Amino acid sequence: MSETMKEYQPRPDLLAGRVILITGAGDGIGAAAARACAAHGATVILLGRTTRKLEAVYDAIEAAGHPQAAIYPMNLEGAAPKDYDDLAATIEREFGRLDGLLHNASQLGTLTPLGQYDVAQWSRLMQVNLNAPFLLTRACLELLKRSADASILFTSSSVGRQGRAYWGAYAISKAANENMMQIWADELEANTPVRANSINPGAVRTAMRARAYPGEDPNTLPRPEQILVTYLYLLGPDSKGVSGRQFDAQ
Ligand code: NDP
């Protein structure tokens, strides 16, 4: 059963003092989430594969006078376990802490019957959508455990909660993220301050949505900035103790 906190009103300093890592932070929901987290006081680490886009988000955060962000260019498709360990070591060296981890980057792949799914594309997509959240969580776990109140947020989709024809590797990767979230939540519940939840953004006006639904009028959809309060709730202290649960942003 999924829940929503879309009526939640985050206070301006909700995330003050927190360090939050966001993947896919250069565009779409990730970029908007990064700006919103910074606007609520967080130091945001912007991870993505296109440096130019990350720089634009960095500049917007700086121009708004929010805590200075950091850029970490990384292509999750080709990243090896050691790259994740290096990232965690860099965060520890530069910031000494990590309080939030938003697994947001994803590939849509192609919408095609499962039996005809291109095997090479399947592997590439799983590397980004499934292996990356696993490897990144694993690498950052010790840092997260040291935070007084750490939150891991997995990004799902309606097709991750109920499979649908032609959504192939994307839907399966999202369902696996839901399951991975539950396992992390269950394992971390006992003796750590780390919680894990999942969020389904719902239909949002982004490049990925336009690729999935080319005939749709984007103006009928909310912009990423309009769907973020549940993200802020889950990344901030007001959701302390909430773990292993599924949320809808809309
Ligand atoms: P976008 O395609 O607009 O943005 C995805 C981001 O992920 C981009 O910044 C992209 O980088 C980055 N990314 C993709 N591949 C890699 C990679 N190999 N390494 C590093 N970064 C990568 O998607 P949305 O903002 O729409 O989606 C955000 C999340 O929300 C995703 O998990 C998606 O599945 C989910 N979602 C979105 C919905 C929607 O309606 N928009 C609905 C349901 C779920 P670059 O810009 O360089 O390509």
Side-chain angles (χ1 to χ4, degrees), residues 24-30 48-50 53 74-77 104-107 128 155-157 170 174 200-204 206-209 211:
D27 210 342
I29 297 166
R49 64 178 172 178
T50 309
K53 292 186 181 182
M74 182 164 167
N75 188 338
L76 299 172
E77 191 180 309
N104 165 82
S106 271
Q107 294 275 310
V128 177
T155 305
S156 188
S157 163
Y170 176 82
K174 293 297 186 182
N200 169 17
V204 184
T206 67
M208 182 188 286
R209 177 76 190 185
R211 271 197 304 281

